[in-house]
Amino acid sequence: MSATPEDAVREAGQYDDLVKSEYEHGFVTEIESDTLPPGLDEDVIRAISQRKGEPEFMLEWRLSAYRKWLEMPTPKWASVHYPPIDFQSISYFSAPKKKEGPKSLDEVDPLLLETYEKLGIPIEEQKALAGVAVDAVFDSVSVATTFREKLAEVGVIFCSISEAMQEHPELIKKYIGSVVPATDNFYAGLNSAVFTDGTFVYVPKNTRCPMELSTYFRINTANTGQFERTLIVADEGSYVSYLEGCTAPQRDENQLHAAVVELIALDDAEIKYSTVQNWYPGDEEGRGGIYNFVTKRGDCRGARSKISWTQVETGSAITWKYPSCILRGDDSVGEFYSVAVTKGRQQADTGTKMIHLGKRTSSTIVSKGISAQHGQQSYRGLVRIAGKAEGARNHTQCDSLLIGDKCAANTFPYIEVKNPSAKMEHEATTSKISDDQLFYCRSRGLSEEDAVSMIVNGFCKEVFNELPMEFAVEAQKLLSISLEGAVG
Amino acid sequence: MLSVKGLKANVGEKEILQGLDLEVGPGEVHAIMGPNGSGKSTFAHVLSGREGYEVTDGSVTFDGADLLELEPEERARIGLFLAFQYPVELPGVNNTYFLKAALNAIRKSRGEEELDAVSFMRLMKERLKILHLDDSLLKRPVNFGFSGGEKKRNEIFQMAMLEPKLAILDETDSGLDIDALRIVADGVNALRSPERSMLVVTHYQRLLDYIQPDYVHVLAKGRIIRSGGKELALELEEKGYGWIVGEEAA
């Protein structure tokens, strides 16, 4: 028994069976998919919009995004390397075949439920134990939504974005693309044109969402790019915490994932967004891993609002991701806490942008990068203090931990200050797990693996402290598993 | 308890231990003294299984086990403890958590039940009391930002918690002022018991004023060239190492 919850987390991180080191979640569920043939043109976009029964304004928005996307170049500035992607070889829609949407879990395809069981996230159990409502995205269509009634009681809308477009078109119309416009960047443009599903959350005024909201994404059908779209709106004085966790089955060909996440916090609202990402990183040579090109941005639109990103990134062949905050409202607060692990041939270029527009806005950035084997990692962060952002503050801390001598870590901090009253702090460190540290731990009876896991978890502690409890446990476990065999 | 026979070990091409023999019985405290470069620290490291040393000849049995065949953590689990000359810092790793993980790894390997947080805290309080230490070090990361004296005290505290059968104290007196030395030595003395042997590796006699050994050995050029009771240490203090080492050479 553990005396405190903190101990429970530590113990879970420490004593879990860490035997398997190959990617644990590499299996494929056999379910017939209704899949569009590969290729992308305006007809494909019309077909997606039609299949989803979208309102006319969405189709127009998608088509306009597509036309602009055609003129955009692929971004080349990130410190990652991969062969050019053939966007015509991707199938843009894949839905598990079902005539009617399930009304309860009993109606959900048992094979799907089994998949979640294998991932260790049995919906039934979660419902009972954790009080977590799960909107599960399996391929591109949401298949199960739980706890909706309970949320509805307090007026919280938590549903797939497809449903939201039919049931709450006015909210979608008002907010979609208002944080990440379709022209924002190449992958956001593509997502705007072809996104198939995702999550919508609306928390009404002065409402504290009664539970953590959670979505598990999973890429399943071969060659199907995933283009989720998530939109979370926290109205004045509200609070919501959202958890996102990802795994994917093993595949030979690279799979593209280009999601867009938009968060909007109005006056005095707070959004906490946590991610544990564990997509297939590819084999030892990096073949077959996921390309994770994601645009995540939060808009602190209201005064005294707060948006906090916490991410633990252990998977994917390539990660290209900068969860950002636009601090528009006066006295608004942005936070970014990140742990990123690269090993094998994984590459990650990740960081954040904090755009200070309002007065007395403040932001905190804590980034912990861990590289092992041939892992390549860059922290890329921008802190911009606009001319009107009187009294803005930022604290940035970037730490890199290297394991072995073939990996690399880079830090690219960009700082633009246009108001002389700004207070900026930047700290950066790079360290290695030394043989001395390992020997010291082993001479006290700890195995080498436990020693590495302990040192790495110690390194990441500040970030794990920001995660909700159940995610912190999962994150420690993930970290231990993913660093197995990375030493020596 | 510990039986070292004809131990030879290299660092790179250089032979540092050149046929070392030593017998340590249960509950005995042995001091290993010797001039700089005599192989004292190498001996401590070879016993604890540190990499970078090649054993070329000889044997070491500990409590019936062939020590040289075991990984460092396995040696720790059967009751060997090395108090480091330079304890290593582990930033972010909480001292209490570290000790609990270590103790439970050892207990698990022995088929004993792991201690839960409550029993562990109880044990920790009890050991702190024996050593007259306060708990200020326990909330901090392992050795991180500790003063020299704090680091050495932490080593002794770890020893008290892990309850080894054989503790090797590698130059535990180095870098300590006289007050810190006394605290550490008092701790070591409190942990002496008929079941626990100790190997005190030191350059100077002064530590032996506080930790009275049963036997004193002089190590030079990788071998033990003289053994005696604690009066040998006093003789060394008075005359230096030169006369013994010289005698040996003659």
Side-chain angles (χ1 to χ4, degrees):
Chain A
M1 282 303 295
S2 307
T4 64
E6 220 180 358
D7 278 312
V9 174
R10 291 174 184 145
E11 282 174 6
Q14 195 56 39
Y15 298 115
D16 260 294
D17 178 21
L18 306 174
V19 180
K20 284 184 232 164
S21 66
E22 289 209 358
Y23 186 73
E24 281 198 334
H25 298 147
F27 49 83
V28 175
T29 310
E30 287 176 21
I31 293 177
E32 269 187 88
S33 289
D34 172 15
T35 302
L36 282 179
L40 181 58
D41 56 26
E42 294 199 3
D43 287 341
V44 167
I45 291 167
R46 286 196 179 86
I48 293 171
S49 190
Q50 191 197 353
R51 272 167 208 243
K52 302 185 72 61
E54 289 177 355
E56 183 65 21
F57 77 86
M58 275 311 302
L59 175 61
E60 288 310 316
W61 192 71
R62 284 175 182 277
L63 287 172
S64 132
Y66 173 69
R67 286 166 199 147
K68 284 170 193 148
W69 175 75
L70 285 175
E71 291 162 17
M72 294 168 93
T74 52
K76 295 264 192 288
W77 43 265
S79 188
V80 295
H81 306 279
Y82 57 94
I85 298 167
D86 179 3
F87 291 97
Q88 294 302 335
S89 71
I90 295 171
S91 167
Y92 287 87
F93 187 78
S94 163
K97 269 189 180 164
K98 269 278 175 185
K99 296 213 171 60
E100 298 261 320
K103 304 223 165 29
S104 75
L105 286 175
D106 303 338
E107 293 177 36
V108 173
D109 191 322
L111 265 178
L112 282 185
L113 293 179
E114 207 179 293
T115 303
Y116 293 122
E117 298 276 343
K118 283 188 202 167
L119 288 172
I121 47 156
I123 293 174
E124 285 288 15
E125 214 169 274
Q126 285 203 353
K127 274 171 72 178
L129 292 177
V132 174
V134 176
D135 177 27
V137 175
F138 188 92
D139 266 20
S140 315
V141 173
S142 297
V143 292
T145 303
T146 52
F147 273 96
R148 197 178 292 182
E149 289 83 4
K150 198 171 168 188
L151 290 170
E153 273 172 31
V154 290
V156 173
I157 302 168
F158 177 45
C159 63
S160 74
I161 203 156
S162 314
E163 285 172 90
M165 278 186 288
Q166 288 163 10
E167 290 168 24
H168 309 282
E170 71 296 343
L171 287 173
I172 296 291
K173 199 168 180 179
K174 184 171 177 188
Y175 290 110
I176 199 165
S178 73
V179 186
V180 180
T183 49
D184 188 78
N185 69 71
F186 184 83
Y187 294 106
L190 179 62
N191 176 288
S192 301
V194 303
F195 76 89
T196 43
D197 217 332
T199 303
F200 176 71
V201 177
Y202 172 79
V203 189
K205 282 183 189 172
N206 303 317
T207 303
R208 192 176 170 89
C209 186
M211 62 191 76
E212 311 259 5
L213 302 179
S214 166
T215 298
Y216 287 87
F217 293 96
R218 186 166 172 81
I219 300 175
N220 196 271
T221 304
N223 263 337
T224 304
Q226 282 257 305
F227 302 94
E228 290 99 346
R229 187 109 196 167
T230 300
L231 177 58
I232 299 177
V233 181
D235 213 326
E236 292 170 20
S238 69
Y239 169 84
V240 62
S241 166
Y242 186 84
L243 320 177
E244 169 199 47
C246 317
T247 55
Q250 190 160 345
R251 277 293 175 188
D252 285 330
E253 286 165 73
N254 286 307
Q255 290 184 304
L256 174 64
H257 183 90
V260 171
V261 176
E262 297 178 281
L263 311 182
I264 296 143
L266 301 181
D267 286 357
D268 300 295
E270 179 177 349
I271 302 174
K272 189 171 170 59
Y273 193 103
S274 312
T275 305
V276 171
Q277 187 266 113
N278 181 30
W279 280 331
Y280 181 56
D283 63 16
E284 277 171 17
E285 297 301 317
R287 282 185 299 256
I290 302 290
Y291 291 0
N292 188 21
F293 301 154
V294 180
T295 305
K296 289 183 166 176
R297 192 174 304 154
D299 189 352
C300 284
R301 208 163 279 182
R304 298 166 304 279
S305 59
K306 178 177 176 184
I307 288 179
S308 179
W309 299 98
T310 307
Q311 60 173 21
V312 177
E313 304 277 323
T314 62
S316 297
I318 303 175
T319 300
W320 180 93
K321 176 178 172 185
Y322 315 89
S324 304
C325 296
I326 299 167
L327 302 169
R328 199 184 303 276
D330 290 344
D331 302 291
S332 61
V333 176
E335 293 177 338
F336 174 73
Y337 297 95
S338 171
V339 166
V341 180
T342 50
K343 64 158 192 172
R345 298 277 171 183
Q346 280 179 292
Q347 310 173 57
D349 195 300
T350 184
T352 184
K353 288 188 276 188
M354 294 291 174
I355 312 295
H356 293 251
L357 303 175
K359 295 186 176 65
R360 298 171 304 279
T361 46
S362 72
S363 61
T364 303
I365 299 171
V366 177
S367 167
K368 305 277 182 176
I370 300 155
S371 296
Q373 293 163 338
H374 292 274
Q376 298 284 322
Q377 193 166 139
S378 303
Y379 166 82
R380 191 182 300 275
L382 167 67
V383 180
R384 177 184 291 153
I385 312 286
K388 287 180 182 167
E390 197 71 33
R393 310 172 67 128
N394 165 264
H395 177 81
T396 299
Q397 188 188 332
C398 295
D399 299 322
S400 301
L401 184 68
L402 305 177
I403 303 174
D405 54 7
K406 294 187 182 68
C407 54
N410 306 303
T411 303
F412 302 103
Y414 302 82
I415 298 172
E416 296 173 20
V417 179
K418 296 202 171 120
N419 186 306
S421 67
K423 284 193 183 136
M424 312 287 288
E425 296 165 356
H426 185 98
E427 293 173 26
T429 66
T430 301
S431 53
K432 275 186 81 164
I433 293 188
S434 68
D435 292 343
D436 283 350
Q437 288 176 324
L438 289 178
F439 177 66
Y440 188 72
C441 294
R442 294 176 74 190
S443 78
R444 298 298 179 254
L446 296 163
S447 69
E448 185 166 87
E449 251 140 37
D450 285 348
V452 169
S453 153
M454 189 177 274
I455 293 167
V456 168
N457 276 310
F459 175 74
C460 301
K461 195 188 258 171
E462 279 171 277
V463 174
F464 287 168
N465 285 346
E466 295 297 322
L467 287 171
M469 189 53 65
E470 62 270 37
F471 252 31
V473 174
E474 198 173 326
Q476 289 207 346
K477 209 161 104 181
L478 254 184
L479 215 59
S480 303
I481 291 171
S482 59
L483 286 173
E484 235 163 71
V487 181
Chain B
M1 171 61 45
L2 179 75
S3 171
V4 182
K5 292 201 170 90
L7 184 65
K8 293 186 179 178
N10 289 2
V11 174
E13 292 294 299
K14 193 160 187 243
E15 187 168 77
I16 307 289
L17 301 183
Q18 306 181 1
L20 194 152
D21 297 291
L22 181 69
E23 297 289 332
V24 179
E28 294 174 359
V29 174
H30 290 240
I32 307 273
M33 301 187 69
N36 289 329
S38 57
K40 300 189 300 288
S41 277
T42 298
F43 183 46
H45 287 158
V46 167
L47 288 181
S48 60
R50 191 180 192 120
E51 279 174 32
Y53 302 91
E54 191 199 350
V55 175
T56 53
D57 200 10
S59 68
V60 181
T61 34
F62 172 63
D63 216 14
D66 181 353
L67 200 65
L68 300 175
E69 286 296 305
L70 301 177
E71 295 291 330
E73 60 267 35
E74 294 171 323
R75 299 181 194 203
R77 289 168 191 172
I78 61 170
L80 191 79
F81 181 89
L82 172 68
F84 281 54
Q85 182 177 6
Y86 304 108
V88 181
E89 299 191 353
L90 303 175
V93 180
N94 176 275
N95 213 1
T96 305
Y97 174 52
F98 176 75
L99 261 176
K100 179 161 175 261
L103 180 62
N104 278 334
I106 290 172
R107 291 179 67 97
K108 206 171 160 185
S109 76
R110 294 177 184 165
E112 295 166 8
E113 207 176 316
E114 294 179 28
L115 286 187
D116 62 39
V118 177
S119 339
F120 180 79
M121 292 306 285
R122 199 178 297 136
L123 181 69
M124 212 160 62
K125 284 203 179 113
E126 178 198 312
R127 296 297 145 87
L128 282 171
K129 214 168 154 189
I130 292 174
L131 299 181
H132 302 290
L133 297 176
D134 61 45
D135 59 2
S136 60
L137 299 180
L138 300 176
K139 291 164 191 151
R140 293 161 61 185
V142 181
N143 295 327
F144 187 68
F146 285 22
S147 71
E150 285 174 333
K151 282 182 180 171
K152 296 294 170 76
R153 259 153 57 197
N154 196 33
E155 294 292 288
I156 302 307
F157 179 60
Q158 289 184 14
M159 178 168 120
M161 290 300 292
L162 301 180
E163 301 184 305
K165 289 184 198 142
L166 173 67
I168 304 163
L169 308 178
D170 185 13
E171 309 257 1
T172 292
D173 50 333
S174 72
L176 293 187
D177 60 33
I178 201 74
D179 292 332
L181 183 66
R182 189 170 292 142
I183 293 170
V184 167
D186 286 349
V188 172
N189 287 326
L191 297 173
R192 284 176 83 152
S193 88
E195 294 84 41
R196 181 167 301 132
S197 317
M198 295 193 191
L199 210 51
V200 181
V201 177
T202 181
H203 184 80
Y204 297 106
Q205 133 76 19
R206 62 170 192 168
L207 180 63
L208 305 181
D209 289 341
Y210 300 99
I211 304 173
Q212 300 249 318
D214 300 310
Y215 303 94
V216 174
H217 309 276
V218 179
L219 188 64
K221 293 175 185 158
R223 288 193 298 136
I224 287 177
I225 55 169
R226 180 161 305 197
S227 298
K230 59 186 173 220
E231 66 287 350
L232 178 58
L234 295 171
E235 208 174 339
L236 287 168
E237 177 76 356
E238 203 179 308
K239 299 184 184 169
Y241 289 109
W243 62 280
I244 294 183
V245 176
E247 206 171 80
E248 175 72 8

